[in-house]
Amino acid sequence: MRAPTPCGWTVTGLDVSRVAVDRARAAAAAAGVEITWLVEGFGERPLGPFDLVSAQYPAVPKRGDDAAVRAFADAVTPGGRLVFVHHELDETPHGFDPADYVMPEDVVTYLTGQGWQIETNEIRERHLERGAGSGHSRDRMVVARRGA
């Protein structure tokens, strides 16, 4: 059994990018935090259940049905929370069609009426002068609690 982090959490992190996972692994090691890391896309296999699933700017393609969103919901234990954050995209072309990917509004639509309480569904301003994500100044944050 793995040791929990200093805050008491047992953490699993994943990303499709080996580079991202290697960077995160190095940061966790520098902080003295033990995390299980997976290099894979979310929903490629069942994961969880977890007390908290935090999806930060995920690039998860829709599959023509609700399967991708359902994978997020299914990963949360009863009474647990899903935090889903993504850039609030304007009408400017972004080199991809946001409708092809799971976005916060898809999460809210799917969870509504499924025994979840939407605790937060709002746009939050953020200010980054440089670095990854600096081209975006608004994020949509959804926090939902699964019924027990």
Side-chain angles (χ1 to χ4, degrees):
M1 173 161 244
R2 294 187 351 228
T5 68
C7 295
W9 292 86
T10 300
V11 178
T12 301
L14 69 88
D15 198 293
V16 296
S17 166
R18 163 87 45 209
V19 172
V21 168
D22 287 346
R23 286 179 183 161
R25 183 179 285 123
V33 178
E34 186 176 338
I35 298 175
T36 298
W37 293 102
L38 305 172
V39 178
E40 62 184 69
F42 191 84
E44 289 181 10
R45 64 183 168 111
L47 292 172
F50 299 106
D51 293 326
L52 173 65
V53 172
S54 178
Q56 305 297 308
Y57 315 102
V60 176
K62 291 181 184 175
R63 301 179 192 153
D65 58 14
D66 291 329
V69 178
R70 189 172 54 248
F72 285 105
D74 290 349
V76 179
T77 191
R81 284 187 173 85
L82 171 62
V83 176
F84 194 98
V85 178
H86 214 293
H87 301 304
E88 182 69 7
L89 300 174
D90 57 21
E91 299 300 319
T92 305
H94 298 280
F96 66 95
D97 186 351
D100 292 338
Y101 293 87
V102 176
M103 300 302 276
E105 56 272 16
D106 301 314
V107 173
V108 171
T109 298
Y110 179 80
L111 298 180
T112 300
Q114 301 267 346
W116 289 75
Q117 177 186 356
I118 306 298
E119 297 177 331
T120 304
N121 179 12
E122 63 190 31
I123 295 172
R124 294 196 175 175
E125 299 290 328
R126 91 182 144 88
H127 306 284
L128 293 175
E129 293 183 23
R130 57 182 147 70
S134 62
H136 300 278
S137 61
R138 297 161 39 98
D139 292 333
R140 177 161 301 274
M141 176 182 220
V142 173
V143 179
R145 183 178 190 111
R146 187 174 191 171

